[in-house]
Amino acid sequence: MKKNLSVAELQNSEWPKLFEEALGDNLVSAFVHGDCLMEGFSALEAPWTVSFILKSNSVEDMLPLQKLTQKAKYDNIQFNHVFSRFEIKSSQDVFPLEFLHIKSKNITLCGETPLADFSPNLAELRIECERELRGLLVHLRRAFLYIKEDRHPHGIYVRSQPTLLPLLYGVYFLATGNYPESHEQVYEMFPDVRIPNATSDKNVIVSNINKYIEAVTAIVNQVDAMKV
């Protein structure tokens, strides 16, 4: 497997040209985004995530990309979303947080900068953040019920953080008007959701999980009370 170990290597690889040749005039933008642009990412352990904006994303118009999936896998690239311009315009009220992430953290491989003119509707962003945070709380409480059966109870934090952190980026934006520069900046605003040190003490495990769920609950209440 060929490893592109940096964004610069990916930009200077054959892939931008492959996308342009495969998609032609239908291509609006091909860009890297998601967890692979966040701190802690290692291309030795996970793939680069590439998404697309096309003039048309019908099944027929996506066929050229389908022909590239095997080569992409070999080169440690994973295709993610395939949007159309119309779909982005008509879905901004449904996915304001996802589009905020794309706008704020992306590297263009070819075509236009994605969502350059996007600005989330704050009321819609608040609703999405609250809804997803409340859903996370439901899963956290259920996970706690079965924590005695978990050989690695610390996993409750490890499993929840990939869901929680992107939501907190949205809450941070709602509170400050700025997109966070790092996870640490988010943790500085919400210190009680930092993952605690692992322990085998059952009383400490329960206490830590209780504090964690209480911290998420407090954030939900904060978001619920926001006037935007």
Side-chain angles (χ1 to χ4, degrees):
M1 180 183 289
K2 181 181 177 181
K3 292 285 188 180
N4 293 292
L5 299 180
S6 69
V7 171
E9 287 185 18
L10 192 58
Q11 288 176 304
N12 293 323
S13 72
E14 63 182 327
W15 278 100
K17 185 177 180 180
L18 287 174
F19 293 142
E20 290 172 342
E21 291 177 346
L23 296 166
D25 291 340
N26 193 38
L27 175 66
V28 176
S29 180
F31 55 95
V32 182
H33 72 108
D35 291 343
C36 61
L37 296 184
M38 292 294 186
E39 60 201 79
F41 171 76
S42 169
L44 294 173
E45 300 174 357
W48 297 99
T49 304
V50 178
S51 286
F52 306 87
I53 301 174
L54 307 180
K55 294 176 182 176
S56 169
N57 63 345
S58 68
V59 168
E60 288 185 351
D61 289 319
M62 288 193 297
L63 279 176
L65 281 177
Q66 189 183 63
K67 295 174 182 178
L68 293 173
T69 55
Q70 280 299 109
K71 177 173 175 53
K73 184 177 181 180
Y74 180 81
D75 284 2
N76 200 37
I77 295 170
Q78 183 178 69
F79 297 163
N80 197 3
H81 307 304
V82 184
F83 300 107
S84 70
R85 277 176 164 164
F86 173 78
E87 187 174 24
I88 287 176
K89 185 176 181 180
S90 61
S91 302
Q92 291 182 9
D93 59 333
V94 180
F95 303 120
L97 179 60
E98 289 79 1
F99 289 163
L100 174 64
H101 288 313
I102 291 174
K103 174 188 171 66
S104 304
K105 283 274 189 180
N106 73 78
I107 299 292
T108 304
L109 295 178
C110 49
E112 302 175 2
T113 300
L115 281 83
D117 299 324
F118 172 72
S119 181
N121 178 291
L122 295 183
E124 293 164 354
L125 179 61
R126 189 206 67 77
I127 289 172
E128 183 178 9
C129 288
E130 180 183 354
R131 180 180 64 245
E132 296 300 321
L133 283 166
R134 290 192 184 280
L136 176 61
L137 275 175
V138 170
H139 290 291
L140 283 172
R141 293 189 182 107
R142 183 184 185 279
F144 174 71
L145 290 178
Y146 290 91
I147 202 72
K148 289 194 297 184
E149 300 175 16
D150 195 336
R151 294 177 60 186
H152 305 285
H154 203 68
I156 192 171
Y157 308 110
V158 176
R159 290 188 294 270
S160 66
Q161 286 288 302
T163 299
L164 179 60
L165 269 174
L167 294 172
L168 295 185
Y169 270 65
V171 179
Y172 187 101
F173 184 87
L174 285 167
T176 68
N178 297 310
Y179 191 84
E181 296 180 2
S182 65
H183 293 348
E184 182 59 30
Q185 201 168 24
V186 172
Y187 285 131
E188 287 175 0
M189 179 173 281
F190 306 108
D192 293 335
V193 297
R194 289 183 187 270
I195 297 179
N197 294 328
T199 178
S200 58
D201 187 313
K202 294 181 180 180
N203 291 329
V204 175
I205 289 172
V206 171
S207 177
N208 285 342
I209 294 174
N210 180 59
K211 291 176 183 177
Y212 188 76
I213 292 177
E214 283 185 344
V216 177
T217 302
I219 295 169
V220 171
N221 292 336
Q222 176 185 341
V223 175
D224 182 52
M226 285 181 172
K227 305 297 182 183
V228 295

